[in-house]
Amino acid sequence: MTTIAIDAMGGDLAPRAEVEGAILASREYGVRILLVGIEAAIRQELARHKWDALPIEIVNATEVISMTDSPSHAFRRKKGSSLHVAAQLVRDAKAEALVTAGNTGAAMTIARFVIGTLPSVDRPALAAAFPNMKDKVSIVLDVGANVDSKPEQLEQFAVMGEIYYRAIWGTKKPRVALLSIGEEEMKGNELVRQTFEKLKKTPLNFTGNVEGKDIFAGNVDVIVCDGFIGNIALKISEGVAQHIAGMLKKALQSTLAAQFGALLSRSAFQQFKKQIDYSEYGGAPLLGVRGVAIIGHGRSNANAVKNAIRVAAELVRNKVGEKIEEELSVPAVRAAV
């Protein structure tokens, strides 16, 4: 049985969302859950549910990392925090994965230095799933783990993203592309142009450059960029999705005819809402660390936590970390990187 350590105090809705999501995931996916946090607060939330028959345990922590804590302060000064303790459980092989909806910077720092990175990985990368027009998803990485990156690191991101996509979505040769300001090979800044030259020489199914609009087109599977650009793309996409959903809701309530049309199209609108709902995708894996680390949105609800646990369990079962280390440690790949 896969064991997942949950930072029960991390998100905006903690610990309620974490406890409810853990219960849902344990029932649906058959995973063992370690709820890490202030024991009294966790027990208070568990008392609201029937969970005695589920493989859920509490691991006490004495501190909580807030959203305003700096990553360095959280790492050095809050060793007893729920996030730190959960990471130690993965490091000590008492859990196979960490899930948190807490402070993203602190989560990445603690995962990197407490759990540790894979021997062949220079920098871990955060991978986010974007729904596309082909009714599938495209993976964008890095979306925030590394503000400044080198061409060699972007090349590693491409390899890790390709392995992740292949393992989880079953595509034998995922199409890999580089995010730039134009499709032509000479477009982009120095980082993009140097990375382009490197990716051409890899055995990856590299299709060239794509623009921001292509993230949602579905013509490529893995899109590589540095964390600064990736995070901006992620945040803009979240804002646009919320804006469109709000505008659509307002328009459908504007007239009696619109309300009638909305009633007839209810199932289509529900499907649309589900496709753009961040909670359906759970969280973003931090690829390149030992074990598995999933970082969710700060406002993650119970459904988001449940799906983050699902993603974590899938990465564990598909041995994504082991495959990344195996492929990056191959001499030919190492020489290219």
Side-chain angles (χ1 to χ4, degrees):
M1 183 178 290
T2 301
T3 301
I4 314 289
I6 310 295
D7 170 16
M9 313 305 295
D12 295 343
L13 305 177
R16 176 164 295 187
E18 279 72 12
V19 169
E20 290 181 4
I23 291 172
L24 291 171
S26 186
R27 285 175 179 161
E28 190 167 342
Y29 308 126
V31 293
R32 176 173 172 251
I33 304 292
L34 302 179
L35 286 169
V36 185
I38 308 300
E39 185 171 355
I42 295 174
R43 288 197 181 279
Q44 184 177 350
E45 290 301 325
L46 282 171
R48 301 172 57 246
H49 305 275
K50 294 181 179 179
W51 65 279
D52 292 348
L54 297 174
I56 295 176
E57 301 171 33
I58 301 172
V59 177
N60 189 50
T62 57
E63 296 176 286
V64 176
I65 294 174
S66 72
M67 293 296 184
T68 58
D69 282 329
S70 71
S72 59
H73 177 81
F75 173 63
R76 294 192 180 97
R77 303 294 183 183
K78 292 193 172 183
K79 303 287 188 181
S81 69
S82 54
L83 180 54
H84 213 113
V85 173
Q88 288 173 340
L89 291 171
V90 178
R91 181 196 64 192
D92 298 339
K94 295 178 180 178
E96 293 148 294
L98 159 69
V99 171
T100 180
N103 184 316
T104 301
M108 291 187 294
T109 300
I110 289 173
R112 183 179 178 188
F113 293 106
V114 175
I115 300 175
T117 58
L118 294 168
S120 299
V121 172
D122 184 18
R123 294 278 187 89
L126 204 56
F130 287 68
N132 62 44
M133 294 296 292
K134 302 294 177 65
D135 293 327
K136 296 182 179 180
V137 298
S138 297
I139 297 301
V140 178
L141 75 165
D142 178 25
V143 294
N146 307 278
V147 176
D148 296 305
S149 300
K150 299 176 181 178
E152 295 80 9
Q153 292 162 353
L154 289 186
E155 186 176 6
Q156 282 197 344
F157 298 168
V159 174
M160 293 192 294
E162 195 265 359
I163 294 169
Y164 171 46
Y165 200 95
R166 185 163 20 107
I168 301 303
W169 284 275
T171 303
K172 292 184 178 179
K173 291 288 288 183
R175 298 157 296 178
V176 180
L178 187 61
L179 187 61
S180 186
I181 58 173
E183 296 180 0
E184 298 82 3
E185 181 174 344
M186 73 289 298
K187 290 291 183 70
N189 57 19
E190 189 65 20
L191 173 63
V192 170
R193 292 196 298 271
Q194 289 185 20
T195 304
F196 190 102
E197 290 301 316
K198 287 184 171 295
L199 290 177
K200 283 198 307 183
K201 300 174 184 178
T202 67
L204 299 172
N205 182 17
F206 179 56
T207 63
N209 289 338
V210 293
E211 300 177 10
K213 62 182 176 63
D214 298 311
I215 291 175
F216 302 97
N219 295 323
V220 294
D221 304 308
V222 179
I223 300 172
V224 181
C225 58
D226 67 78
F228 183 80
I229 297 299
N231 191 262
I232 291 174
L234 176 64
K235 296 297 174 59
I236 289 177
S237 300
E238 289 178 349
V240 169
Q242 292 173 5
H243 184 60
I244 291 175
M247 290 177 62
L248 184 59
K249 182 178 180 180
K250 185 176 181 180
L252 293 174
Q253 295 174 344
S254 60
T255 65
L256 185 61
Q259 293 177 32
F260 181 69
L263 183 64
L264 294 176
S265 307
R266 178 179 295 177
S267 61
F269 291 132
Q270 288 176 339
Q271 181 62 27
F272 168 75
K273 185 177 179 181
K274 185 174 182 179
Q275 283 183 320
I276 65 172
D277 183 3
Y278 75 91
S279 73
E280 292 295 325
Y281 300 93
L286 186 63
L287 300 176
V289 297
R290 299 175 186 269
V292 171
I294 306 294
I295 303 175
H297 203 291
R299 64 173 185 272
S300 291
N301 55 24
N303 189 54
V305 173
K306 182 195 80 169
N307 282 305
I309 295 170
R310 171 183 56 79
V311 173
E314 288 177 350
L315 264 68
V316 171
R317 284 194 284 263
N318 284 282
K319 301 183 183 300
V320 170
E322 291 90 330
K323 291 176 181 176
I324 288 173
E325 176 58 27
E326 180 182 344
E327 297 200 22
L328 281 179
S329 64
V330 174
V333 176
R334 291 291 296 170
V337 175

